[in-house]
């Protein structure tokens, strides 16, 4: 047979006279044999702190107070203070006439039994609710397990996302650095382009001259030796043709054709004025031999 501890019942009364009356009533009651209940103590007090210490650990506490308003208020105060200290609290109303010299113990005994029975009935009534709460607790525990597993999975995903985010941040930083390098490179390239463009523009706008040995070009063009270079220099300096530079044994022009064309002009002048250079100098001042005639 399973052995279990009896239900511990403690009774709080208002004073010493109530202790005597309740004790007398308990003499002829077999609660232990009938209900596996023991009345472990009768506590005469109206002090809540004393009551707290006295009922700590009890299964049931019966608060035996008068049926009048002060008794009801005292019982309510005890119920409010002691509800977290014990398993169940039940009020037990002492019968009328308890303040007289003698009170029938049977009345008190019956009230004690009725209070204990009410406690049991309330406990039975609460069993269904207890089972419901227990089932809900089990469901909550299962839900908590599921949530913990979900939290663990989400934490793992979060860690992966944090790592991926860090990788993206690092990649972004690298791209920013690369972009900065490319911008610097672009600036250098742009400046180089501007420089080349400017140089090219200068080259386009500038007359580029080719230089030819005067004697060689004369020989090549007329198949004869140039004897009097100073005549050519003189005529060229007097007429000042555009894009022709002559001196130091060379003739410079934008092209070989330009140089040859000018030599042909000079040779024509020399043919028509086959005289000494001094005579040519005198005649050169004539209007028909002005530089404008050659330019035409």
């Amino acid at each position: 047979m399973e052995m279990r501890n009896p239900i511990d019942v403690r009774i709080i009364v208002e004073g010493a006279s109530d202790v005597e009356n309740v004790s007398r009533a308990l003499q002829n009651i077999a609660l232990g044999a009938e209900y596996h209940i023991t009345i472990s103590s009768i506590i005469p007090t109206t002090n809540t702190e004393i009551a707290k210490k006295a009922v700590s650990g009890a299964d049931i506490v019966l608060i035996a107070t008068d049926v009048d308003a002060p008794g009801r208020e005292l019982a309510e105060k005890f119920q409010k203070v002691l509800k977290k200290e014990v398993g169940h609290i039940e009020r037990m109303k002492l019968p009328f006439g308890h303040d007289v010299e003698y009170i029938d113990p049977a009345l008190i005994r019956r009230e004690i039994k009725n209070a204990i029975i009410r406690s049991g009935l309330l406990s039975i009534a609460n069993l269904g609710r207890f089972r419901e709460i227990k089932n809900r607790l089990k469901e909550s525990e299962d839900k908590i397990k599921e949530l913990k597993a979900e939290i663990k999975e989400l934490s793992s995903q979060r860690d992966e996302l944090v790592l991926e985010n860090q990788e993206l941040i690092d990649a972004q930083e690298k791209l920013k650095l690369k972009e900065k390098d490319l911008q610097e490179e672009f600036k250098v390239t742009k400046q180089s382009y501007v420089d080349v463009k400017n140089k090219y523009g200068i080259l386009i706008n500038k007359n580029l001259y080719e230089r030819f040995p005067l004697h060689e070009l004369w020989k090549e063009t007329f198949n004869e030796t140039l004897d009097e270079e100073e005549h050519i220099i003189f005529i060229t300096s007097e007429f000042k043709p555009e894009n022709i530079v002559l001196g130091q044994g060379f003739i410079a022009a934008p092209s070989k054709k330009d140089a040859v064309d000018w030599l042909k002009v000079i040779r024509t002048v020399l043919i028509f004025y086959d005289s000494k250079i001094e005579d040519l100098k005198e005649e050169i001042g004539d209007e028909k031999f002005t530089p404008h005639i050659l330019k035409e």
Side-chain angles (χ1 to χ4, degrees):
M1 181 176 179
E2 182 184 357
M3 297 298 294
R4 54 189 174 86
N5 295 327
I7 297 173
D8 182 3
V9 178
R10 302 176 196 181
I11 302 174
I12 296 177
V13 295
E14 295 184 59
S17 60
D18 294 326
V19 173
E20 183 180 354
N21 290 329
V22 172
S23 297
R24 190 184 307 122
L26 291 175
Q27 291 176 358
N28 297 318
I29 185 170
L31 294 175
E34 295 180 17
Y35 304 106
H36 199 60
I37 292 173
T38 181
I39 306 295
S40 62
S41 61
I42 301 172
I43 306 154
T45 186
T46 57
N47 186 287
T48 56
E49 292 302 318
I50 294 175
K52 253 182 174 184
K53 296 176 182 178
V55 303
S56 179
D59 297 312
I60 298 174
V61 172
L62 302 180
I63 302 174
T65 60
D66 295 344
V67 295
D68 57 7
R72 183 176 65 252
E73 291 175 0
L74 180 61
E76 290 175 353
K77 181 173 70 171
F78 276 136
Q79 286 177 325
K80 182 178 180 181
V81 172
L82 303 178
K83 62 183 179 179
K84 294 182 180 180
E85 306 295 328
V86 297
H88 181 77
I89 299 175
E90 187 67 31
R91 186 186 178 194
M92 173 185 139
K93 299 176 184 179
L94 293 178
F96 287 106
H98 72 282
D99 54 342
V100 298
E101 183 178 353
Y102 176 80
I103 188 170
D104 187 358
L107 295 176
I108 298 176
R109 187 163 46 247
R110 185 173 62 222
E111 183 63 20
I112 292 172
K113 282 187 175 182
N114 289 339
I116 292 173
I117 290 171
R118 286 196 301 272
S119 299
L121 291 174
L122 285 173
S123 299
I124 293 172
N126 288 331
L127 285 177
R129 185 181 176 189
F130 174 75
R131 291 192 185 95
E132 180 183 353
I133 292 174
K134 188 176 181 180
N135 292 334
R136 289 171 62 185
L137 179 61
K138 180 66 170 59
E139 292 175 358
S140 298
E141 289 176 349
D142 294 340
K143 186 65 176 178
I144 289 172
K145 288 181 181 178
E146 293 177 3
L147 290 175
K148 284 183 177 179
E150 185 176 350
I151 289 172
K152 186 176 180 181
E153 182 179 355
L154 290 175
S155 297
S156 178
Q157 293 178 0
R158 181 201 62 191
D159 294 340
E160 292 177 0
L161 290 174
V162 168
L163 180 61
E164 183 178 349
N165 183 59
Q166 187 59 48
E167 291 176 351
L168 290 174
I169 291 174
D170 294 340
Q172 186 179 22
E173 290 298 324
K174 290 180 181 178
L175 287 175
K176 285 182 178 179
L177 292 175
K178 187 174 182 180
E179 180 185 8
K180 186 177 180 180
D181 293 340
L182 289 174
Q183 287 177 348
E184 292 297 327
E185 184 178 347
F186 174 74
K187 288 181 181 179
V188 173
T189 304
K190 185 177 180 181
Q191 186 59 47
S192 298
Y193 168 76
V194 171
D195 294 342
V196 171
K197 184 178 179 181
N198 291 337
K199 291 178 181 179
Y200 180 70
I202 293 172
L203 291 174
I204 290 176
N205 296 325
K206 183 179 179 181
N207 292 324
L208 298 180
Y209 284 35
E210 292 186 62
R211 192 179 66 166
F212 308 95
L214 181 58
H215 289 266
E216 292 181 6
L217 187 60
W218 186 276
K219 178 70 173 176
E220 178 184 340
T221 304
F222 306 117
N223 195 22
E224 62 184 24
T225 301
L226 178 60
D227 294 327
E228 297 180 350
E229 179 180 342
E230 65 276 7
H231 292 179
I232 297 175
I233 295 173
F234 171 74
I235 294 172
T236 302
S237 62
E238 288 298 324
F239 284 92
K240 297 182 177 60
E242 294 181 2
N243 300 329
I244 298 295
V245 179
L246 198 148
Q248 298 181 354
F250 290 92
I251 181 171
S255 66
K256 187 175 182 179
K257 181 179 182 299
D258 292 329
V260 170
D261 287 344
W262 178 244
L263 292 181
K264 289 179 179 180
V265 170
I266 290 176
R267 189 170 185 275
T268 302
V269 172
L270 292 175
I271 290 173
F272 280 101
Y273 290 87
D274 187 11
S275 62
K276 294 181 179 180
I277 189 64
E278 287 76 12
D279 297 334
L280 182 59
K281 289 179 180 179
E282 292 177 3
E283 297 293 337
I284 205 71
D286 193 279
E287 185 179 354
K288 63 181 177 180
F289 288 111
T290 62
H292 299 290
I293 298 174
L294 292 178
K295 289 179 181 179
E296 292 176 359

